[in-house]
Amino acid sequence: MKSVLATAILIAVMGFSPNPVSSVYFFYESHAMSAEARAAISKSKGLTSKEATATNTLSTERKTNVIYTSIREGRLSENEIKGLAEGWGKWVNARCENQFGCTSDLNYYHTKEQAEKALEGMKKYYSDPSKYTISNVEF
């Protein structure tokens, strides 16, 4: 569900047309859920504030796993993008190693240069080996 919502937000922001006239460049990415998502999970588990803080502190003691794919190109409709996002979400959820769950992001752009810049920015953001384990995966 999260991946479908993320795709819908990207479509709204990017102004994506269901019938593109040019190629779309995209890559998949997954990382640990945000602090807000962790807080919501803790609350849904009925943890007290003290327990939630202790649990969230434990999560910072281990490295966050980040995975991504190479950039791909395709002429995709909105429904095809939703299908790809759902497939990635299922794949990630079956393999998630982060304590509080994983995101399943489908990042797409109208030019290859935009996609390359975004992918390099993501790699740079997660480049600290003391905090992250980052790897390219085949999907």
Side-chain angles (χ1 to χ4, degrees):
M1 180 66 178
K2 182 179 178 359
S3 60
V4 174
L5 178 61
T7 301
I9 291 169
L10 285 173
I11 289 169
V13 170
M14 298 286 292
F16 187 74
S17 167
N19 300 309
V21 293
S22 61
S23 293
V24 174
Y25 299 87
F26 64 97
F27 64 91
Y28 300 99
E29 171 192 354
S30 176
H31 52 84
M33 289 196 181
S34 67
E36 294 82 12
R38 290 194 309 262
I41 290 170
S42 295
K43 185 177 179 181
S44 72
K45 291 182 177 180
L47 298 177
T48 65
S49 295
K50 187 175 182 178
E51 292 168 328
T53 301
T55 304
N56 286 335
T57 301
L58 289 175
S59 71
T60 62
E61 293 174 1
R62 53 167 98 160
K63 290 184 184 182
T64 296
N65 293 305
V66 179
I67 58 174
Y68 67 95
T69 66
S70 300
I71 295 172
R72 300 171 187 182
E73 177 183 2
R75 294 177 61 88
L76 304 170
S77 70
E78 183 177 338
N79 286 337
E80 289 170 319
I81 289 174
K82 286 179 183 177
L84 291 174
E86 289 173 1
W88 174 246
K90 289 176 184 174
W91 192 87
V92 165
N93 288 337
R95 293 162 179 79
C96 180
E97 296 178 1
N98 292 313
Q99 183 176 359
F100 287 99
C102 298
T103 65
S104 55
D105 308 328
L106 170 59
N107 304 288
Y108 65 92
Y109 306 88
H110 296 290
T111 69
K112 186 175 184 180
E113 292 77 22
Q114 290 172 325
E116 288 170 342
K117 184 176 178 179
L119 181 58
E120 289 307 312
M122 183 273 302
K123 288 188 213 178
K124 184 176 179 180
Y125 183 85
Y126 294 113
S127 64
D128 184 346
S130 69
K131 295 180 182 179
Y132 307 105
T133 301
I134 185 168
S135 55
N136 186 322
V137 296
E138 292 294 324
F139 170 73

